[in-house]
């Protein structure tokens, strides 16, 4: 049951981030909005994919993503870095998976460092 609650919280977090991004974009000049069309579309796709993926994530993955600030901005940045912005939902999904795995490895490394420092 906890996993379902965490998944619901993640979906709420993602929806709120998207709402805030949309609000910021709507305050911009039309030329800037038009120039940001790819970013807007990609973040919408990221949002949709994460909503779907949240139902299958582990509790650890969900907790990690819940604690990550500006998750959509981070995943968009990772997507651009990894793919050069090549369109495609499957590539986008793969990029999200890779980013989550990378975050988990970093967290595990840091947890091990902290544990080892406490033992020393």
């Amino acid at each position: 049951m906890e996993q379902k609650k965490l998944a619901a919280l993640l979906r709420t977090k993602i929806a709120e981030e998207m709402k805030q991004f949309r609000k910021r974009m709507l305050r911009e000049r039309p030329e800037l909005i038009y120039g940001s069309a790819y970013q807007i579309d990609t973040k919408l796709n990221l949002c949709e994919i994460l909503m779907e993926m949240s139902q299958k994530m582990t509790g650890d993955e969900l907790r990690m993503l819940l604690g990550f600030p500006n998750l959509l901005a981070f995943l968009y940045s990772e997507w651009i870095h990894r793919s050069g912005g090549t369109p495609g939902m499957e590539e986008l999904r793969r990029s999200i998976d890779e980013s989550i795995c990378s975050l988990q490895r970093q967290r595990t490394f840091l947890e091990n460092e902290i544990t080892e420092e406490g033992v020393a």
Side-chain angles (χ1 to χ4, degrees):
M1 185 64 169
E2 179 185 337
Q3 191 168 346
K4 286 185 180 184
K5 286 181 183 177
L6 290 171
L9 285 172
L10 181 61
R11 289 191 296 276
T12 300
K13 171 189 171 63
I14 295 164
E16 184 60 30
E17 283 186 34
M18 196 63 211
K19 179 180 168 185
Q20 293 302 318
F21 173 70
R22 182 177 187 271
K23 190 186 274 188
R24 278 192 312 276
M25 290 307 299
L26 288 174
R27 287 191 295 248
E28 297 294 342
R29 296 181 329 273
E31 304 83 39
L32 184 67
I33 294 170
Y34 184 78
S36 301
Y38 180 78
Q39 179 183 13
I40 294 166
D41 184 57
T42 302
K43 284 187 176 181
L44 284 168
N45 289 333
L46 283 167
C47 190
E48 180 182 314
I49 291 169
L50 279 171
M51 296 275 187
E52 179 185 315
M53 288 175 69
S54 69
Q55 298 172 28
K56 298 173 186 169
M57 290 180 180
T58 66
D60 283 343
E61 289 172 324
L62 292 165
R63 278 187 286 282
M64 176 187 61
L65 295 178
L66 279 166
F68 199 90
N70 302 311
L71 182 59
L72 290 176
F74 169 76
L75 293 172
Y76 176 76
S77 174
E78 289 287 299
W79 163 247
I80 295 299
H81 174 74
R82 283 197 173 104
S83 71
T86 305
M89 292 295 276
E90 212 38 56
E91 290 83 5
L92 190 55
R93 183 181 303 276
R94 219 176 354 267
S95 178
I96 292 171
D97 282 336
E98 289 171 9
S99 295
I100 290 171
C101 287
S102 176
L103 288 170
Q104 284 182 306
R105 283 192 301 274
Q106 290 174 23
R107 186 180 74 176
T108 300
F109 175 79
L110 290 173
E111 287 172 350
N112 289 340
E113 288 289 312
I114 290 169
T115 302
E116 289 174 9
E117 286 178 12
V119 173

